[in-house]
Amino acid sequence: GIRKRTFNTIEIILSIFFLYITLKEIFFSSSFNYDLFGLIRFYLIFLLIPKFINQKLNIFNVLLFTCLFISIDGIYQYYFFYDFFGFQKFSVNRITGVFDDEPIIGSFLLRFYFPIVFYFMISKKNNSLYSISYLVIAYCIFISGEKMALIQLVFTSISIVLYLILFKSHSFKFIRHINFK
């Protein structure tokens, strides 16, 4: 038969948050902010993660290994001034990696970093390859020379740590079972 999709507490809170942002943008803004579509992308990825957990060719593994290759190429370029394809560094403190003359490697990797990390947290895969991959990708974002990507990486990392503390710790489970009347 057809299985019904149930939503957990995090999905409900996130859905209410995105509904609030969308309604606020539609009704109380003088002009529509198209950056909202970027946020909605992450929301949809978050909701679709359970669909990808038990698939043979997992899109998140493909993304992880693609980002890992791009990161290793960028790190190589940082230290040796050329990447694997012969592209030179953009400047002394900016790398481009596979993007030739466009210094966008940090922001490109960051777009996939959070969904990949969140997927592996949800799927409960505990593999040292994934942990090392996260560190390599984060290091490449750090050395990319993109200040905004670095700020977003720090914010994302703090969000992940807070998620682990609040929603994966025993103290939160205790708080969740208290009846507030």
Side-chain angles (χ1 to χ4, degrees):
I2 298 174
R3 279 187 3 194
K4 283 188 134 184
R5 170 98 161 81
T6 59
F7 292 91
N8 63 28
T9 307
I10 300 168
E11 291 171 335
I12 292 170
I13 291 170
L14 194 62
S15 296
I16 291 169
F17 174 72
F18 275 105
L19 181 64
Y20 165 75
I21 289 175
T22 305
L23 291 175
K24 185 177 96 45
E25 194 63 37
I26 292 171
F27 293 116
F28 300 111
S29 181
S30 59
S31 65
F32 188 76
N33 185 358
Y34 289 98
D35 293 334
L36 181 64
F37 291 122
L39 290 174
I40 291 173
R41 170 188 61 204
F42 288 114
Y43 173 68
L44 292 175
I45 289 171
F46 173 78
L47 288 180
L48 291 174
I49 283 174
K51 293 232 178 253
F52 293 107
I53 287 178
N54 296 322
Q55 299 213 351
K56 289 183 181 179
L57 178 62
N58 191 322
I59 189 72
F60 288 96
N61 284 333
V62 173
L63 283 175
L64 175 70
F65 288 114
T66 301
C67 289
L68 189 59
F69 174 77
I70 291 170
S71 298
I72 291 170
D73 183 61
I75 293 168
Y76 184 86
Q77 185 184 47
Y78 181 78
Y79 289 105
F80 298 105
F81 303 102
Y82 287 93
D83 78 334
F84 298 146
F85 302 105
F87 300 136
Q88 290 184 337
K89 245 179 157 177
F90 185 74
S91 69
V92 175
N93 59 353
R94 298 291 300 266
I95 59 174
T96 59
V98 297
F99 301 105
D100 190 14
D101 60 348
E102 295 186 45
I104 59 168
I105 191 168
S107 58
F108 177 84
L109 290 172
L110 191 67
R111 292 187 197 288
F112 299 108
Y113 183 75
F114 185 70
I116 290 170
V117 170
F118 202 74
Y119 165 76
F120 286 107
M121 285 171 42
I122 295 291
S123 67
K124 298 178 179 143
K125 293 188 178 191
N126 206 0
N127 190 334
S128 59
L129 171 68
Y130 300 123
S131 301
I132 292 169
S133 298
Y134 306 142
L135 293 174
V136 169
I137 293 169
Y139 181 67
C140 185
I141 293 170
F142 176 72
I143 65 172
S144 70
E146 293 181 55
K147 294 175 186 145
M148 196 61 193
L150 179 61
I151 291 169
Q152 290 173 340
L153 174 68
V154 169
F155 179 74
T156 301
S157 300
I158 290 171
S159 300
I160 290 169
V161 169
L162 286 175
Y163 169 79
L164 291 173
I165 290 171
L166 293 176
F167 295 107
K168 296 294 182 181
S169 71
H170 297 291
S171 61
F172 183 73
K173 289 177 186 173
F174 172 74
I175 294 169
R176 204 172 13 179
H177 293 298
I178 298 174
N179 285 331
F180 294 102
K181 293 183 179 183

